[in-house]
Amino acid sequence: MADASIEQVVLEAQKGTETALSELIELTQDRLFRFCMYLCGNPHLAQDICQDVYIKALEKIGTLEDPKQFVSWLFSMARNLFIDHVRSP
């Protein structure tokens, strides 16, 4: 997976192309899940975090200024959601 192709897909997703949104998930889901597993060590929680990250990312994709930062942006959201989970009672 070349990051250049992710950049192109992000640009298409920002234009509202629905197939681009699905393609972004397909291109990044394995890396994101592995990262979430690294954070929490629980496959069920990792899956929940991934799902929440994608929902948030797809809602806010228009606010991402640099498409090159998409994967980092996802990981940052995942880390923040995990921290929120740990802090919640």
Side-chain angles (χ1 to χ4, degrees):
M1 157 184 29
D3 285 336
S5 66
I6 289 177
E7 291 173 40
Q8 295 288 52
V9 179
V10 168
L11 290 171
E12 286 300 312
Q14 288 177 325
K15 294 177 189 173
T17 307
E18 286 188 34
T19 56
L21 298 174
S22 298
E23 193 172 343
L24 279 176
I25 292 170
E26 199 172 303
L27 288 170
T28 59
Q29 65 185 355
D30 290 338
R31 278 199 279 182
L32 183 62
F33 181 75
R34 284 193 307 271
F35 179 70
C36 291
M37 278 296 295
Y38 167 78
L39 290 174
C40 68
N42 177 325
H44 298 292
L45 180 57
Q47 190 66 39
D48 288 347
I49 292 171
C50 286
Q51 186 174 22
D52 291 345
V53 166
Y54 283 121
I55 290 168
K56 194 172 188 177
L58 298 179
E59 288 174 352
K60 298 186 180 287
I61 191 120
T63 66
L64 181 64
E65 293 178 15
D66 184 0
K68 293 177 188 174
Q69 298 299 316
F70 182 74
V71 174
S72 298
W73 189 56
L74 288 181
F75 281 25
S76 179
M77 280 191 271
R79 184 190 68 241
N80 291 339
L81 286 169
F82 173 70
I83 289 169
D84 289 348
H85 173 77
V86 170
R87 288 181 180 165
S88 69

